[in-house]
């Protein structure tokens, strides 16, 4: 996926139905491409370009990592 992908505009978190932010593996905090919900602090993997958006696929992000991700996501 890339930040310009139109799919990103319609993808939503399976838990709160809110928007997700693309995290790329180019970021040292991100081990693999994923979609992030900062409201719930949950990260969903993107495997071979396919978002894994089942509630059980998400992982909770620790508080310190969440704060660092918020700083990177700010314009």
């Amino acid at each position: 996926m890339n930040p310009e992908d139109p799919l990103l505009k319609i993808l939503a978190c399976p838990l709160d139905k809110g928007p997700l932010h693309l995290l790329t593996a180019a970021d040292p905090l991100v081990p693999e491409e994923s979609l992030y919900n900062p409201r719930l602090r949950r990260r969903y993997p993107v495997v071979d370009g396919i978002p894994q958006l089942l509630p059980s696929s998400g992982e909770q992000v620790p508080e310190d990592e969440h704060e660092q991700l918020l700083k990177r996501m700010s314009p």
Side-chain angles (χ1 to χ4, degrees):
M1 296 187 85
N2 65 56
E4 314 305 316
D5 195 327
L7 184 61
L8 285 175
K9 294 182 195 290
I10 61 170
L11 288 177
C13 175
L15 299 175
D16 75 355
K17 311 302 186 236
L20 296 165
H21 298 274
L22 179 65
L23 302 175
T24 62
D27 189 321
L29 281 178
V30 182
E32 60 186 7
E33 188 174 51
S34 55
L35 294 168
Y36 185 58
N37 177 342
R39 297 166 307 284
L40 299 179
R41 297 182 184 144
R42 291 193 62 84
R43 178 175 36 219
Y44 298 92
V46 176
V47 179
D48 295 328
I50 301 169
Q52 308 298 305
L53 294 176
L54 293 172
S56 62
S57 299
E59 67 176 352
Q60 199 68 32
V61 172
E63 177 68 29
D64 58 332
E65 186 177 342
H66 168 71
E67 294 298 326
Q68 291 177 348
L69 288 170
L70 283 180
K71 289 177 187 173
R72 284 174 166 66
M73 289 172 17
S74 297

